[in-house]
Amino acid sequence: MAGSVFGVLVRLTTFGESHGKAVGGILEGIPAGFSINVEEIQKDLDRRRPGQSAIVTQRKESDRVQLLSGIFDGKTLGTPIGFLVENEDQKSKDYDEMQHAFRPSHADFTYQQKYGIRDYRGGGRSSARETVSRVVAGSIARQILETKGIRIDAFVDQVGSLKWEGEWTTELKTISESNSVRVPSEELASQMETLIREVRKEGDTIGGAVRCAISGVPAGLGEPVFDKLHAELGKAMLSINAVKGFEIGSGFDAISMRGSEHNDLFTPDGKTKTNYSGGIQGGISNGMPIDFRVAFKPVATLIQEQETINESFEPVSLKAKGRHDPCVVPRAVPIVEAMAALVILDYYLIQNAYQQ
Amino acid sequence: MAGSVFGVLVRLTTFGESHGKAVGGILEGIPAGFSINVEEIQKDLDRRRPGQSAIVTQRKESDRVQLLSGIFDGKTLGTPIGFLVENEDQKSKDYDEMQHAFRPSHADFTYQQKYGIRDYRGGGRSSARETVSRVVAGSIARQILETKGIRIDAFVDQVGSLKWEGEWTTELKTISESNSVRVPSEELASQMETLIREVRKEGDTIGGAVRCAISGVPAGLGEPVFDKLHAELGKAMLSINAVKGFEIGSGFDAISMRGSEHNDLFTPDGKTKTNYSGGIQGGISNGMPIDFRVAFKPVATLIQEQETINESFEPVSLKAKGRHDPCVVPRAVPIVEAMAALVILDYYLIQNAYQQ
Amino acid sequence: MAGSVFGVLVRLTTFGESHGKAVGGILEGIPAGFSINVEEIQKDLDRRRPGQSAIVTQRKESDRVQLLSGIFDGKTLGTPIGFLVENEDQKSKDYDEMQHAFRPSHADFTYQQKYGIRDYRGGGRSSARETVSRVVAGSIARQILETKGIRIDAFVDQVGSLKWEGEWTTELKTISESNSVRVPSEELASQMETLIREVRKEGDTIGGAVRCAISGVPAGLGEPVFDKLHAELGKAMLSINAVKGFEIGSGFDAISMRGSEHNDLFTPDGKTKTNYSGGIQGGISNGMPIDFRVAFKPVATLIQEQETINESFEPVSLKAKGRHDPCVVPRAVPIVEAMAALVILDYYLIQNAYQQ
Amino acid sequence: MAGSVFGVLVRLTTFGESHGKAVGGILEGIPAGFSINVEEIQKDLDRRRPGQSAIVTQRKESDRVQLLSGIFDGKTLGTPIGFLVENEDQKSKDYDEMQHAFRPSHADFTYQQKYGIRDYRGGGRSSARETVSRVVAGSIARQILETKGIRIDAFVDQVGSLKWEGEWTTELKTISESNSVRVPSEELASQMETLIREVRKEGDTIGGAVRCAISGVPAGLGEPVFDKLHAELGKAMLSINAVKGFEIGSGFDAISMRGSEHNDLFTPDGKTKTNYSGGIQGGISNGMPIDFRVAFKPVATLIQEQETINESFEPVSLKAKGRHDPCVVPRAVPIVEAMAALVILDYYLIQNAYQQ
């Protein structure tokens, strides 16, 4: 186990360093006979792509996915779907200084400690470029889920201390996907964009949060006691680069709540009046929308001078070159959706195994 | 997969309903030749035990662990350690009303939807009694880790809006373990205890948080890209009953921070000045203390009347009998430690597999 | 991973040393709502039990199974089924000599090399007593399979060079289960019994083979390319104590056959005229009876003097005491059936996951 | 789980249909810092390649491997190694007739039954072309094992009823690799080649066997009770196309042996006088050479008329076109070695995890 396989029945295995030949993966366990729309995958990749707007990194990757197997005459065969995306715009020279110095709060140091060797160019395997494979796989999983009436919507709900406080409805997706921040409010979008531009001007970065709503999930998904649905969703989200926290439903707010206030009372249709549970009770979906939130730290790579050490543990000063994101959350939205899709489809199939 | 196996090389499988004959488990992957102190296991069980203080449930289980295999002449054989704890003080009659009515925000409803059948007595498999097995296994794992100089300390840092804001040092464990709340401040302990008593008097419950500090972990543990160390810790914690959130290091505070403030600058000994990373960078331990926090919701079972529905989806009113915790966090402390120990030992061994 | 977990959706974890307190296991992934007949489990245990006839070991274990969880009002809950069987008739003194000497061709030596420690009493974890847990779990799995019309029949088809050459039909089970050898011919049974008695008189042991026929399996089970149905069956069988070989359908005879002779021609009902494939083509069941054969070596523990070495690698002479089987195959029959049932149910559920 | 992931710490995931764009895989868990010789991989691929001699299929694939990640400056990074081999010489037209008719004893029928759809061209996923990925991965694993002094040698020991009866020594590899059959006897090679040519002339095929010897394996590898070393080797071999049987050491011959004859007596160096155990006792390597044998059936695709059925279960007659192997064993030798290498490296690392 080196940690590049995810899932039980729906399993994604990925490979690829940032500045190697390609990133890609193998997605297995996708049911047979489904039509896959490659343009939809490409659309999700474009939502993740560098250079898509003024507030993200200007690295220029066209990120065209190549599907190598598992699909025949436009339909899934039930066999593994191999795919890859070539790495194109590699300015490896930008990373020469990082060959010997460790960027603070980056994985440079820990990869060196763990493996005794690392591909320092662009962060190598630790680069968020790895998430290209997640988006491809998640997009395929999502297309299957849509045929079951399951819909996954992620959006940015916070950048720095600017926080969106509304109530999510799927109609808001039109707004969140029409601004470069991916927040469901045009006004906030403009404020957040201004903030991100300011931060970037200073060579600095800033944190943010992505919220995700999943509707149409039937009651019954999740495998207690260890593989509870929100535990697996949590692991999936925490495995995304730069994530520092995960909460479901009421999340950290639950700490200061009373049971009498927090309990979601049932209505006679089997739904609940409130949804502090976030759609999951006892680790099993209850039929209400699944609702979770993911905290992203500010990007570690700064375009400003920082004190650090080199491989001999000597103090050195480092100022990154290269093209980096001042704030990851706009590009993280399709990644969150992708990981959610993989988890939900996997547990959907597992639950289906037990239906007569 | 029905979700009752946890881990890769160190694997815990558990069984048991709250009011069945016993709860127990099988722990495999524990290295051979280590002395196991059964009294230490019992001590951890006692920290989780109902009835241990005035502010927890008064259910009376002696919770004596029986080790059935894997240990010979006091030493681990390297073979699976089978164990069980009998269920004793079962007042199943207290649950008669729950046979047909679903407790709001409990797993009653979702178990029924998922399996079409449930053991309604005491919550059955969804009861936190299941965590007895986690504590036994985690206690064994911890004894191995201690021989490697790794120490795990969890404690309560919030009940309702009462929050401890100090800086953790291992010396504080003496304080946190000497009060019934398990908070590292005697003053706060007394305030929190008062709050919990008030809440209980109202037949209500309240949320809380547990923080966990792990010291002595060498750099290099964690298996990116999916099995990052904090992702696995997150899953482990989110799988504990009543948990709604997990954060590592800066956690949700990172959202509003700048990179220049959040980055942990290296010092020439390979340590960092700050620890916003929480001891993990890029999913791999960096040698600093691992530091995470877990949010627990208020217990769902209330000793007050609540509106709900029965199995025919008809509205009914329900007031729980039985002996329930007004706040779970004091008893959750050894459970958090146990799950942390299982994860850390597992990844310690995986990393060791690659050492020459 | 220490190798005591088996399966994907239907997962068996086992524990137990031969002379420890108990052997047992946890079986998870059994669908909810099925009635389990405990007497059927006991009947299978009795078929595996020592002392059941004159030609097996005379160790006297009553081997009563205790079910500890997962069943409520006689029905499966969908939660893990914990179970144990106590060890009773332990004459550990018989093993005093083996404390320091390694029995040739037994696991004494390899356990010592692997773990640096071993429970020498009765072989500890390496004892075939471990298979008690397999029989309990397999018997439960089989009861589920029977509701799907799937039937599993194993029987002895060879002891030494005495080989049964008939064509199996399920009617023959009455014969195979009515003689102490479990061979589907009364005449052969008597010859084999005579042979086994002779061998035992000499303090010697002899090998044998078990064949297994599974009918009613629908086409479609098996997960290529690695988890082919016969590959998983093969692993399951090779994991049983004393097994040296596995073959499916034509097996080793296929080596000297021509394709024109070996190919199973289809008939218009989708069946095949011959069944050299043994019910599996390309790793997937084809709807024909599954038919495989398992080779068992002669038991290693002899009641006669043997040259060997002790833990200091010094030559010593060893003559086993204790009560041992002169030939394992009669008792192996229910073990083969049990492992087959676990594999078939697991892959049945996996395939079911993908049905719309 | 759709069966395309193999291994625990060393994990191979594969993809690819015979006539799709490419076949390939991702190999993870390879230790960091090792030099990988790409020419060695290519050499193993060439040993598996169609068209390499007069007695194998004349399909012309150059089978050049492209390594896409996980290697930097010629050394392993410890990250997943992604690789692919393009499909070139696809005469899909040769398979037009198989679009609707099922080849007897091939996977055509079972894939259609399982998935409801299949890529009929060249057998799609069920084609032995899939084993290209196994050879690439196994070759890498083998290069690591060689640095530990572990050597894996497979060779043909039977074609039809022509059987090699000698005693294997590594010196014989020069002979077995210098003839087109890969048998360690020039005389037998010539007889077998004549036989295979005759069989092909008749449009027929013939079975064979591959034996594998592994030397230098330390005592201690294997994870009882389910993941015994020979059980995992057995699964690995049985997962190879056309395999019908697996035996370790004495194998099926053990059935007719006495314990007094079969037991491997220890010598004072901890070795054994005989090796009927095949290097594994109780599922754990004992330090003697591992020795197993694999039975391959005759290839199902015949260049002669056969009765069969089509997708509507109507009788049709089918005569394959295309270029097929008359006997698979010569090309199976590197595949057997590859799968053996993956298993041994995996269990080597698992055992290493537990060393202090």
Side-chain angles (χ1 to χ4, degrees), chain D residues 151-157 164-177 182-185 211-215 289-291 337:
Chain D
R151 171 177 175 146
I152 299 176
D153 297 304
F155 54 91
V156 168
D157 85 338
W164 179 75
E165 298 282 7
E167 188 154 335
W168 175 257
T169 62
T170 52
E171 288 75 33
L172 289 169
K173 191 78 173 263
T174 324
I175 300 174
S176 67
E177 286 297 316
R182 295 205 163 84
V183 64
S185 150
R211 205 173 130 194
C212 184
I214 313 178
S215 59
I290 292 174
D291 181 8
E337 288 176 353

mmCIF file of all heavy atoms in Angstrom, chain D residues 151-157 164-177 182-185 211-215 289-291 337:
data_model
loop_
_atom_site.group_PDB
_atom_site.id
_atom_site.type_symbol
_atom_site.label_atom_id
_atom_site.label_comp_id
_atom_site.label_asym_id
_atom_site.label_seq_id
_atom_site.Cartn_x
_atom_site.Cartn_y
_atom_site.Cartn_z
ATOM 1 N N ARG D 151 15.931 -14.851 -6.602
ATOM 2 C CA ARG D 151 15.954 -15.129 -8.035
ATOM 3 C C ARG D 151 14.773 -16.002 -8.417
ATOM 4 O O ARG D 151 14.467 -16.994 -7.751
ATOM 5 C CB ARG D 151 17.269 -15.850 -8.348
ATOM 6 C CG ARG D 151 17.346 -16.375 -9.729
ATOM 7 C CD ARG D 151 18.669 -17.016 -10.042
ATOM 8 N NE ARG D 151 18.550 -17.587 -11.367
ATOM 9 C CZ ARG D 151 19.525 -17.665 -12.260
ATOM 10 N NH1 ARG D 151 20.731 -17.242 -11.944
ATOM 11 N NH2 ARG D 151 19.315 -18.175 -13.455
ATOM 12 N N ILE D 152 14.101 -15.648 -9.500
ATOM 13 C CA ILE D 152 12.895 -16.350 -9.930
ATOM 14 C C ILE D 152 13.104 -16.926 -11.321
ATOM 15 O O ILE D 152 13.421 -16.193 -12.255
ATOM 16 C CB ILE D 152 11.688 -15.385 -9.946
ATOM 17 C CG1 ILE D 152 11.448 -14.835 -8.532
ATOM 18 C CG2 ILE D 152 10.441 -16.082 -10.482
ATOM 19 C CD1 ILE D 152 10.352 -13.800 -8.439
ATOM 20 N N ASP D 153 12.941 -18.232 -11.461
ATOM 21 C CA ASP D 153 13.134 -18.887 -12.752
ATOM 22 C C ASP D 153 11.957 -19.778 -13.088
ATOM 23 O O ASP D 153 11.736 -20.783 -12.418
ATOM 24 C CB ASP D 153 14.398 -19.761 -12.714
ATOM 25 C CG ASP D 153 15.653 -18.952 -12.496
ATOM 26 O OD1 ASP D 153 15.900 -18.030 -13.297
ATOM 27 O OD2 ASP D 153 16.383 -19.223 -11.521
ATOM 28 N N ALA D 154 11.251 -19.424 -14.125
ATOM 29 C CA ALA D 154 10.191 -20.308 -14.611
ATOM 30 C C ALA D 154 10.649 -20.935 -15.916
ATOM 31 O O ALA D 154 11.503 -20.387 -16.620
ATOM 32 C CB ALA D 154 8.902 -19.534 -14.811
ATOM 33 N N PHE D 155 10.078 -22.084 -16.200
ATOM 34 C CA PHE D 155 10.417 -22.769 -17.455
ATOM 35 C C PHE D 155 9.296 -23.756 -17.776
ATOM 36 O O PHE D 155 8.499 -24.116 -16.899
ATOM 37 C CB PHE D 155 11.758 -23.506 -17.323
ATOM 38 C CG PHE D 155 11.824 -24.453 -16.159
ATOM 39 C CD1 PHE D 155 11.465 -25.787 -16.312
ATOM 40 C CD2 PHE D 155 12.209 -24.002 -14.890
ATOM 41 C CE1 PHE D 155 11.514 -26.656 -15.215
ATOM 42 C CE2 PHE D 155 12.254 -24.872 -13.809
ATOM 43 C CZ PHE D 155 11.905 -26.199 -13.959
ATOM 44 N N VAL D 156 9.241 -24.170 -19.017
ATOM 45 C CA VAL D 156 8.234 -25.148 -19.436
ATOM 46 C C VAL D 156 8.710 -26.530 -19.019
ATOM 47 O O VAL D 156 9.869 -26.879 -19.258
ATOM 48 C CB VAL D 156 8.038 -25.074 -20.962
ATOM 49 C CG1 VAL D 156 7.229 -26.267 -21.467
ATOM 50 C CG2 VAL D 156 7.363 -23.755 -21.333
ATOM 51 N N ASP D 157 7.855 -27.313 -18.377
ATOM 52 C CA ASP D 157 8.294 -28.686 -18.089
ATOM 53 C C ASP D 157 7.386 -29.748 -18.710
ATOM 54 O O ASP D 157 7.638 -30.936 -18.524
ATOM 55 C CB ASP D 157 8.511 -28.908 -16.590
ATOM 56 C CG ASP D 157 7.260 -29.274 -15.838
ATOM 57 O OD1 ASP D 157 6.157 -28.969 -16.326
ATOM 58 O OD2 ASP D 157 7.380 -29.865 -14.749
ATOM 59 N N TRP D 164 9.412 -33.039 -18.979
ATOM 60 C CA TRP D 164 10.792 -32.982 -18.518
ATOM 61 C C TRP D 164 10.838 -33.478 -17.081
ATOM 62 O O TRP D 164 10.046 -33.052 -16.249
ATOM 63 C CB TRP D 164 11.299 -31.533 -18.594
ATOM 64 C CG TRP D 164 12.702 -31.369 -18.126
ATOM 65 C CD1 TRP D 164 13.842 -31.727 -18.793
ATOM 66 C CD2 TRP D 164 13.135 -30.793 -16.886
ATOM 67 N NE1 TRP D 164 14.939 -31.409 -18.061
ATOM 68 C CE2 TRP D 164 14.547 -30.836 -16.878
ATOM 69 C CE3 TRP D 164 12.474 -30.257 -15.784
ATOM 70 C CZ2 TRP D 164 15.310 -30.354 -15.807
ATOM 71 C CZ3 TRP D 164 13.225 -29.782 -14.732
ATOM 72 C CH2 TRP D 164 14.632 -29.834 -14.740
ATOM 73 N N GLU D 165 11.783 -34.400 -16.798
ATOM 74 C CA GLU D 165 11.775 -35.018 -15.470
ATOM 75 C C GLU D 165 13.044 -34.708 -14.675
ATOM 76 O O GLU D 165 13.295 -35.317 -13.643
ATOM 77 C CB GLU D 165 11.613 -36.544 -15.585
ATOM 78 C CG GLU D 165 10.308 -36.995 -16.231
ATOM 79 C CD GLU D 165 9.113 -36.923 -15.282
ATOM 80 O OE1 GLU D 165 9.262 -36.398 -14.160
ATOM 81 O OE2 GLU D 165 8.032 -37.382 -15.669
ATOM 82 N N GLY D 166 13.869 -33.818 -15.135
ATOM 83 C CA GLY D 166 15.145 -33.551 -14.466
ATOM 84 C C GLY D 166 15.012 -32.787 -13.159
ATOM 85 O O GLY D 166 13.912 -32.483 -12.698
ATOM 86 N N GLU D 167 16.157 -32.493 -12.572
ATOM 87 C CA GLU D 167 16.168 -31.685 -11.348
ATOM 88 C C GLU D 167 16.628 -30.272 -11.728
ATOM 89 O O GLU D 167 17.666 -30.111 -12.367
ATOM 90 C CB GLU D 167 17.137 -32.306 -10.333
ATOM 91 C CG GLU D 167 17.059 -31.625 -8.972
ATOM 92 C CD GLU D 167 17.482 -32.592 -7.874
ATOM 93 O OE1 GLU D 167 17.366 -33.827 -8.091
ATOM 94 O OE2 GLU D 167 17.920 -32.118 -6.813
ATOM 95 N N TRP D 168 15.877 -29.299 -11.330
ATOM 96 C CA TRP D 168 16.181 -27.928 -11.748
ATOM 97 C C TRP D 168 17.394 -27.363 -11.009
ATOM 98 O O TRP D 168 17.538 -27.514 -9.801
ATOM 99 C CB TRP D 168 14.984 -27.025 -11.466
ATOM 100 C CG TRP D 168 15.312 -25.592 -11.765
ATOM 101 C CD1 TRP D 168 15.594 -24.607 -10.850
ATOM 102 C CD2 TRP D 168 15.422 -24.988 -13.042
ATOM 103 N NE1 TRP D 168 15.864 -23.434 -11.491
ATOM 104 C CE2 TRP D 168 15.770 -23.632 -12.843
ATOM 105 C CE3 TRP D 168 15.257 -25.461 -14.351
ATOM 106 C CZ2 TRP D 168 15.959 -22.752 -13.902
ATOM 107 C CZ3 TRP D 168 15.438 -24.574 -15.398
ATOM 108 C CH2 TRP D 168 15.795 -23.242 -15.170
ATOM 109 N N THR D 169 18.285 -26.741 -11.779
ATOM 110 C CA THR D 169 19.325 -25.900 -11.191
ATOM 111 C C THR D 169 19.329 -24.620 -12.017
ATOM 112 O O THR D 169 18.956 -24.638 -13.194
ATOM 113 C CB THR D 169 20.719 -26.546 -11.277
ATOM 114 O OG1 THR D 169 21.029 -26.717 -12.664
ATOM 115 C CG2 THR D 169 20.765 -27.882 -10.565
ATOM 116 N N THR D 170 19.743 -23.539 -11.419
ATOM 117 C CA THR D 170 19.657 -22.254 -12.125
ATOM 118 C C THR D 170 20.494 -22.255 -13.408
ATOM 119 O O THR D 170 20.205 -21.487 -14.322
ATOM 120 C CB THR D 170 20.087 -21.095 -11.203
ATOM 121 O OG1 THR D 170 21.368 -21.403 -10.647
ATOM 122 C CG2 THR D 170 19.093 -20.904 -10.082
ATOM 123 N N GLU D 171 21.509 -23.132 -13.446
ATOM 124 C CA GLU D 171 22.328 -23.182 -14.670
ATOM 125 C C GLU D 171 21.483 -23.575 -15.891
ATOM 126 O O GLU D 171 21.820 -23.227 -17.027
ATOM 127 C CB GLU D 171 23.472 -24.201 -14.532
ATOM 128 C CG GLU D 171 24.581 -23.752 -13.595
ATOM 129 C CD GLU D 171 24.178 -23.856 -12.128
ATOM 130 O OE1 GLU D 171 23.398 -24.784 -11.798
ATOM 131 O OE2 GLU D 171 24.589 -23.000 -11.320
ATOM 132 N N LEU D 172 20.424 -24.332 -15.653
ATOM 133 C CA LEU D 172 19.601 -24.789 -16.776
ATOM 134 C C LEU D 172 18.865 -23.643 -17.479
ATOM 135 O O LEU D 172 18.350 -23.810 -18.584
ATOM 136 C CB LEU D 172 18.609 -25.849 -16.297
ATOM 137 C CG LEU D 172 19.240 -27.198 -15.931
ATOM 138 C CD1 LEU D 172 18.237 -28.086 -15.215
ATOM 139 C CD2 LEU D 172 19.748 -27.892 -17.202
ATOM 140 N N LYS D 173 18.826 -22.501 -16.845
ATOM 141 C CA LYS D 173 18.114 -21.365 -17.448
ATOM 142 C C LYS D 173 18.704 -21.012 -18.810
ATOM 143 O O LYS D 173 17.971 -20.620 -19.726
ATOM 144 C CB LYS D 173 18.175 -20.145 -16.510
ATOM 145 C CG LYS D 173 17.257 -18.982 -16.893
ATOM 146 C CD LYS D 173 15.807 -19.235 -16.501
ATOM 147 C CE LYS D 173 14.873 -18.060 -16.711
ATOM 148 N NZ LYS D 173 14.617 -17.252 -15.533
ATOM 149 N N THR D 174 19.993 -21.147 -18.930
ATOM 150 C CA THR D 174 20.637 -20.861 -20.224
ATOM 151 C C THR D 174 20.031 -21.732 -21.322
ATOM 152 O O THR D 174 19.775 -21.265 -22.430
ATOM 153 C CB THR D 174 22.154 -21.163 -20.152
ATOM 154 O OG1 THR D 174 22.618 -20.819 -18.857
ATOM 155 C CG2 THR D 174 22.910 -20.405 -21.224
ATOM 156 N N ILE D 175 19.793 -22.973 -20.986
ATOM 157 C CA ILE D 175 19.186 -23.859 -21.980
ATOM 158 C C ILE D 175 17.720 -23.505 -22.212
ATOM 159 O O ILE D 175 17.274 -23.332 -23.335
ATOM 160 C CB ILE D 175 19.296 -25.342 -21.546
ATOM 161 C CG1 ILE D 175 20.775 -25.722 -21.387
ATOM 162 C CG2 ILE D 175 18.593 -26.256 -22.548
ATOM 163 C CD1 ILE D 175 20.987 -27.106 -20.824
ATOM 164 N N SER D 176 16.983 -23.354 -21.116
ATOM 165 C CA SER D 176 15.539 -23.141 -21.285
ATOM 166 C C SER D 176 15.261 -21.841 -22.037
ATOM 167 O O SER D 176 14.282 -21.747 -22.777
ATOM 168 C CB SER D 176 14.815 -23.163 -19.933
ATOM 169 O OG SER D 176 15.182 -22.062 -19.142
ATOM 170 N N GLU D 177 16.119 -20.851 -21.866
ATOM 171 C CA GLU D 177 15.882 -19.582 -22.551
ATOM 172 C C GLU D 177 16.476 -19.541 -23.957
ATOM 173 O O GLU D 177 16.309 -18.547 -24.661
ATOM 174 C CB GLU D 177 16.422 -18.425 -21.710
ATOM 175 C CG GLU D 177 15.542 -18.114 -20.501
ATOM 176 C CD GLU D 177 14.126 -17.656 -20.889
ATOM 177 O OE1 GLU D 177 13.997 -16.836 -21.817
ATOM 178 O OE2 GLU D 177 13.149 -18.116 -20.262
ATOM 179 N N ARG D 182 11.180 -22.995 -24.319
ATOM 180 C CA ARG D 182 11.598 -22.633 -22.958
ATOM 181 C C ARG D 182 11.601 -23.836 -22.011
ATOM 182 O O ARG D 182 11.187 -23.750 -20.859
ATOM 183 C CB ARG D 182 10.755 -21.494 -22.377
ATOM 184 C CG ARG D 182 10.948 -20.198 -23.126
ATOM 185 C CD ARG D 182 10.662 -18.957 -22.330
ATOM 186 N NE ARG D 182 11.269 -17.813 -23.005
ATOM 187 C CZ ARG D 182 10.704 -17.136 -24.014
ATOM 188 N NH1 ARG D 182 9.517 -17.476 -24.450
ATOM 189 N NH2 ARG D 182 11.343 -16.129 -24.561
ATOM 190 N N VAL D 183 12.089 -24.971 -22.533
ATOM 191 C CA VAL D 183 12.211 -26.166 -21.721
ATOM 192 C C VAL D 183 13.717 -26.413 -21.482
ATOM 193 O O VAL D 183 14.525 -26.136 -22.361
ATOM 194 C CB VAL D 183 11.530 -27.374 -22.436
ATOM 195 C CG1 VAL D 183 12.234 -27.700 -23.746
ATOM 196 C CG2 VAL D 183 11.454 -28.592 -21.538
ATOM 197 N N PRO D 184 14.097 -26.877 -20.302
ATOM 198 C CA PRO D 184 15.532 -26.983 -19.998
ATOM 199 C C PRO D 184 16.193 -28.240 -20.557
ATOM 200 O O PRO D 184 16.964 -28.888 -19.853
ATOM 201 C CB PRO D 184 15.553 -26.966 -18.466
ATOM 202 C CG PRO D 184 14.220 -27.474 -18.046
ATOM 203 C CD PRO D 184 13.250 -27.148 -19.132
ATOM 204 N N SER D 185 15.889 -28.576 -21.777
ATOM 205 C CA SER D 185 16.501 -29.735 -22.437
ATOM 206 C C SER D 185 16.380 -29.513 -23.930
ATOM 207 O O SER D 185 15.272 -29.337 -24.458
ATOM 208 C CB SER D 185 15.771 -31.028 -22.037
ATOM 209 O OG SER D 185 15.841 -31.984 -23.079
ATOM 210 N N ARG D 211 6.830 -24.689 -14.736
ATOM 211 C CA ARG D 211 7.293 -24.866 -13.365
ATOM 212 C C ARG D 211 8.080 -23.628 -12.975
ATOM 213 O O ARG D 211 8.674 -22.965 -13.825
ATOM 214 C CB ARG D 211 8.161 -26.110 -13.265
ATOM 215 C CG ARG D 211 8.186 -26.711 -11.873
ATOM 216 C CD ARG D 211 8.930 -28.032 -11.868
ATOM 217 N NE ARG D 211 9.920 -28.021 -10.806
ATOM 218 C CZ ARG D 211 10.909 -28.881 -10.681
ATOM 219 N NH1 ARG D 211 11.065 -29.845 -11.598
ATOM 220 N NH2 ARG D 211 11.761 -28.791 -9.684
ATOM 221 N N CYS D 212 8.081 -23.296 -11.696
ATOM 222 C CA CYS D 212 8.772 -22.082 -11.267
ATOM 223 C C CYS D 212 9.579 -22.364 -10.000
ATOM 224 O O CYS D 212 9.064 -22.960 -9.046
ATOM 225 C CB CYS D 212 7.754 -20.966 -11.020
ATOM 226 S SG CYS D 212 8.501 -19.381 -10.595
ATOM 227 N N ALA D 213 10.835 -21.947 -10.029
ATOM 228 C CA ALA D 213 11.730 -22.125 -8.882
ATOM 229 C C ALA D 213 12.181 -20.750 -8.394
ATOM 230 O O ALA D 213 12.595 -19.915 -9.194
ATOM 231 C CB ALA D 213 12.940 -22.950 -9.303
ATOM 232 N N ILE D 214 12.063 -20.528 -7.099
ATOM 233 C CA ILE D 214 12.456 -19.234 -6.531
ATOM 234 C C ILE D 214 13.496 -19.497 -5.447
ATOM 235 O O ILE D 214 13.216 -20.185 -4.463
ATOM 236 C CB ILE D 214 11.248 -18.496 -5.914
ATOM 237 C CG1 ILE D 214 10.060 -18.544 -6.891
ATOM 238 C CG2 ILE D 214 11.620 -17.067 -5.558
ATOM 239 C CD1 ILE D 214 8.799 -17.884 -6.355
ATOM 240 N N SER D 215 14.677 -18.958 -5.646
ATOM 241 C CA SER D 215 15.731 -19.204 -4.653
ATOM 242 C C SER D 215 16.098 -17.913 -3.924
ATOM 243 O O SER D 215 15.869 -16.813 -4.422
ATOM 244 C CB SER D 215 16.960 -19.788 -5.339
ATOM 245 O OG SER D 215 17.424 -18.897 -6.326
ATOM 246 N N PRO D 289 14.265 -23.519 -1.530
ATOM 247 C CA PRO D 289 13.713 -22.969 -2.770
ATOM 248 C C PRO D 289 12.206 -23.200 -2.870
ATOM 249 O O PRO D 289 11.723 -24.293 -2.555
ATOM 250 C CB PRO D 289 14.448 -23.743 -3.872
ATOM 251 C CG PRO D 289 15.706 -24.209 -3.236
ATOM 252 C CD PRO D 289 15.366 -24.463 -1.791
ATOM 253 N N ILE D 290 11.509 -22.183 -3.289
ATOM 254 C CA ILE D 290 10.076 -22.326 -3.541
ATOM 255 C C ILE D 290 9.914 -22.959 -4.911
ATOM 256 O O ILE D 290 10.605 -22.591 -5.858
ATOM 257 C CB ILE D 290 9.374 -20.961 -3.437
ATOM 258 C CG1 ILE D 290 9.405 -20.498 -1.978
ATOM 259 C CG2 ILE D 290 7.952 -21.030 -3.969
ATOM 260 C CD1 ILE D 290 8.870 -19.110 -1.743
ATOM 261 N N ASP D 291 9.016 -23.907 -5.004
ATOM 262 C CA ASP D 291 8.932 -24.734 -6.203
ATOM 263 C C ASP D 291 7.466 -25.046 -6.467
ATOM 264 O O ASP D 291 6.833 -25.772 -5.704
ATOM 265 C CB ASP D 291 9.721 -26.025 -5.924
ATOM 266 C CG ASP D 291 9.746 -26.973 -7.118
ATOM 267 O OD1 ASP D 291 9.292 -26.594 -8.207
ATOM 268 O OD2 ASP D 291 10.227 -28.105 -6.925
ATOM 269 N N GLU D 337 6.706 -15.818 -14.041
ATOM 270 C CA GLU D 337 7.765 -15.155 -13.268
ATOM 271 C C GLU D 337 7.308 -13.800 -12.733
ATOM 272 O O GLU D 337 7.601 -13.428 -11.589
ATOM 273 C CB GLU D 337 9.008 -14.955 -14.159
ATOM 274 C CG GLU D 337 9.761 -16.239 -14.463
ATOM 275 C CD GLU D 337 10.919 -16.035 -15.422
ATOM 276 O OE1 GLU D 337 11.065 -14.918 -15.970
ATOM 277 O OE2 GLU D 337 11.683 -17.001 -15.634
#
